[in-house]
């Protein structure tokens, strides 16, 4: 058998069998080996991307995005991506799903699809189907797919752990302020805290009490999920709330560092040291040395310390009240 004939460019890399047939692509061509069938009624001609360079969280999220994009040709006009699928497409932080202690292949996780109103729910392998009120907020955006608005996606996830909800809320509500090392100054946040609060007051919500607690903990200047969770560990333990991404200057007005969490009045800084920081290790060492020379007590939080929140809280408490 010879090489398959090229497909019409207008189909793009992923398309529905129905659309292909409508422009004259034969059934035989749709069965050729250069096309994958990720879902019934969908064909995919795009090579699977190499995700080996990503960390576990990023890889699983990227796989969720790929899976949703593969399903996109099947979306009806009364359907949109929701829940974790919407968060993945919006680039938000997702909790890592594990089974038997090992991260799950994101390609095996369900695609979440909401049907608006009384329309027929999706019944397909690999899809978690939901029903949405006709007033549910959606928007057209990424890859021409309909996706829950950020505030709606957040409110759909009341079954999540409290700290994961706060981290996602922080991501959606981040205010892109001016300052040293702050990228994309002036970029609009994806949602506001008021948007989150308003959304959870409409309709019935799974985990409504957790959502209400989470929205009170969401802030506008957190730059990462780990920063969000660090702050929550401290606040929920009864410590004062730290400032986020605080710019530190020396007595001559020279910029020293932007620290993740800070208690400026006590000169206590808390820095999360990611495993990915090795590429800028020398700069981090010099920055922390400059802070300590200026009289700051810098608490460096490793992944190991982060996994022991009681010890983390105790160290910060000692620094604040010594």
């Amino acid at each position: 058998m010879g090489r398959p004939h090229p497909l019409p460019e207008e189909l793009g890399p992923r398309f529905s069998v129905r659309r292909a047939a409508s422009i004259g692509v034969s059934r035989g061509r749709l069965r050729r080996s250069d096309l994958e069938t990720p879902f019934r009624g969908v064909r995919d001609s795009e090579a699977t991307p190499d995700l080996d360079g990503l960390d576990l969280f990023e890889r699983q999220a990227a796989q969720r995005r790929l899976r949703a994009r593969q399903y996109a040709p099947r979306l009806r006009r009364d359907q949109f991506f929701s829940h974790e699928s919407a968060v993945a497409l919006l680039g938000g932080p997702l909790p890592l799903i594990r089974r038997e202690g090992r991260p799950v292949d994101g390609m095996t996780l369900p695609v979440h699809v909401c049907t608006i109103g009384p329309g027929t729910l999706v019944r397909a392998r690999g899809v978690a189907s939901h029903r949405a009120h006709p007033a549910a907020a959606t928007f057209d955006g990424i890859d021409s797919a309909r996706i829950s608005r950020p505030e709606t996606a957040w409110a759909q996830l009341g079954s999540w752990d409290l700290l994961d909800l706060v981290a996602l809320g922080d991501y959606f509500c981040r205010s892109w302020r001016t300052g040293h090392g702050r990228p994309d100054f002036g970029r609009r946040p994806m949602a506001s805290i008021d948007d989150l609060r308003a959304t959870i007051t409409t309709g019935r919500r799974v985990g409504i009490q957790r959502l209400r607690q989470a929205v009170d903990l969401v802030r506008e200047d957190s730059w990462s999920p780990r920063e969000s969770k660090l702050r929550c560990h401290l606040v929920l333990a009864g410590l004062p709330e730290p400032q986020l991404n605080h710019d530190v200057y020396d007595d001559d007005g020279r910029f020293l560092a932007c620290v993740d969490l800070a208690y400026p009045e006590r000169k206590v800084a808390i820095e999360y040291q990611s495993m990915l920081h090795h590429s800028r290790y020398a700069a981090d060492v010099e920055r922390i040395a400059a802070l300590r020379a200026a009289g700051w007590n810098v608490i460096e939080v490793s992944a190991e310390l982060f996994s022991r929140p009681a010890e983390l809280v105790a160290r910060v408490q000692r620094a604040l009240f010594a």
Side-chain angles (χ1 to χ4, degrees), residues 115-258:
T115 299
I116 302 171
T120 304
L121 295 177
V122 176
R123 295 286 184 261
R125 179 175 296 179
V127 176
S129 190
H130 310 271
R131 190 177 298 283
H133 188 276
T138 66
F139 69 92
D140 292 326
I142 301 170
D143 291 350
S144 300
R146 292 172 296 281
I147 308 170
S148 293
R149 289 189 185 276
E151 61 269 26
T152 303
W154 184 84
Q156 291 170 331
L157 296 167
S159 61
W160 277 18
D161 177 81
L162 175 66
L163 269 57
D164 288 321
L165 275 174
V166 175
L168 180 59
D170 283 0
Y171 173 82
F172 285 148
C173 297
R174 177 176 173 181
S175 180
W176 299 81
R177 312 181 201 279
T178 187
H180 287 277
R182 288 175 167 83
D184 301 323
F185 163 63
R187 174 176 161 186
R188 294 186 62 182
M190 301 177 77
S192 70
I193 296 174
D194 285 343
D195 290 335
L196 302 186
R197 201 179 302 279
T199 302
I200 63 175
T201 63
T202 59
R204 297 177 62 185
R205 297 291 179 188
V206 172
I208 185 62
Q209 295 302 325
R210 191 179 298 110
L211 288 166
R212 288 171 178 159
Q213 184 181 7
V215 76
D216 287 338
L217 291 167
V218 171
R219 298 294 180 264
E220 296 179 341
D221 204 22
S222 180
W223 292 9
S224 75
R226 290 302 175 104
E227 288 180 22
S228 299
K229 294 179 181 182
L230 272 174
R231 179 186 82 247
C232 287
H233 282 314
L234 301 178
V235 171
L236 293 173
L239 293 183
E241 183 160 341
Q243 293 188 25
L244 305 177
N245 292 290
H246 176 73
D247 290 334
V248 178
Y249 299 84
D250 66 13
D251 293 338
D252 297 322
R254 182 182 61 183
F255 175 74
L256 295 180
C258 176

Side-chain angles (χ1 to χ4, degrees), residues 5 24 55 62 67 71 73 93 98 100 112 126 152 155 173 175-176 191 217 231 235 280 282:
H5 294 297
D55 71 21
R67 197 70 173 140
Y71 186 84
R98 299 176 183 269
E100 298 180 354
H112 292 265
T152 303
C173 297
S175 180
W176 299 81
L217 291 167
R231 179 186 82 247
V235 171
R280 60 176 192 266

Side-chain angles (χ1 to χ4, degrees), residues 9 66 91 292 305 314:
E9 290 186 7
L66 175 57
R292 286 174 172 152
L305 179 56

Side-chain angles (χ1 to χ4, degrees), residues 267-285:
K267 281 196 167 184
V268 173
I270 305 162
E271 288 276 275
Y272 181 77
Q273 300 296 2
S274 166
M275 291 183 293
L276 299 180
H277 277 198
H278 65 279
S279 61
R280 60 176 192 266
Y281 174 75
D284 281 345
V285 168

Side-chain angles (χ1 to χ4, degrees), residues 282-298:
D284 281 345
V285 168
E286 292 303 314
R287 180 170 57 87
I288 290 172
L291 285 167
R292 286 174 172 152
W296 280 72
N297 184 349
V298 182

